[in-house]
Amino acid sequence: MPNEKVLLCASLILLSQRALSSTMMHTKCRGKFYPRGNNKVIRFSVPDEKVRWAVPFPEYAPVSFTTAGILAGPSFADPDISETLFKPKWNELDGNVDRRSHEGTYEVVDGYPRNKHGRTGVMGRGCLGRWGPNHAADPVVTRWKIENESRVINPVSKKPVLQFVCIQRKDSGEWAIPGGMVDPGEKVSSTLRREFEEEALDALQMTAEERQIVGQKLKDLFEQGKEIYAGYIDDPRNTDNAWMESVACNFHDEDLKGILHKLELKAGDDAKSVKWMDLDKELELYASHKDIVHQVTLQHGAHW
């Protein structure tokens, strides 16, 4: 029979993950200025008590904003909803485009999908390509912090310290999990590995032979990932009609002398810098990434 304490711990972690997804009140997408708007796009102020759509807010008049880059129609972006030939299948797998939310059915009001987590102060797509959910994948790659060939124990919590690969974003300068967007038709498992290799190992600058060598080294690690979270992300780019969602998986190397203690990190693609960062409650990370890595520490019984 499984240990009752282990079962109880697993149940509490699962409940914590569900609570993070279903009750999250977004705050980072309610800042004064919308990102990439040159500080000219000002969000309509939404107080905490007026975030939920069910709460009346008759004076709510959000600005409508979609960047010129998105309106230009890049391959990864949807057309404007006003275009007569654009007939999206909301809440469904629409060809290769997944318009389903990890959190269930979202409303479509006057032809526009509505952010399940409430008002953001901006309509349109902002700088996001898809109407509705924009799907990303975040690989949380972890190892134990070691000194003298032993795990480092935090003197206050008496728990071992976990480290994760953290990148500094070029766009905002904030530290984050090295994730990225899921391409249409792409498996999330492929996105997770691709984004880690591109952002934390600079794989795009490698030769085919170098990529093959690195891929072989990471093969076992990325075949043993564990899903940590799937749901809404409190991303500053979110709007009333377009929002970020992500699947986060943990790839952990338990071996104190394993591949992750020998891997050379090198920032690439959208990363300005990359490093191993200790997991701790004082961390300041991009979007909802702090909540995600907290789940990882719970899974491993690590310091937080």
Side-chain angles (χ1 to χ4, degrees), residues 63-110:
V63 63
S64 180
F65 176 66
T66 301
T67 63
I70 296 299
L71 291 175
S75 59
F76 65 85
D78 286 333
D80 191 79
I81 286 180
S82 63
E83 293 190 20
T84 56
L85 296 179
F86 181 49
K87 305 293 183 182
K89 297 179 180 178
W90 304 120
N91 289 295
E92 296 182 33
L93 185 60
D94 188 5
N96 284 330
V97 178
D98 193 350
R99 301 192 187 280
R100 298 169 295 184
S101 168
H102 291 298
E103 301 189 0
T105 303
Y106 50 86
E107 293 183 314
V108 179
V109 180
D110 297 328

Side-chain angles (χ1 to χ4, degrees), residues 10 14 28 30 41 60 62 104 118 132 137-138 145 150 156 163 174 203:
L14 180 60
K28 294 187 177 181
R30 288 190 288 134
V41 180
Y60 183 57
D138 292 310
K145 185 176 184 178
S150 297
V156 177
Q163 297 180 312
E174 295 173 276

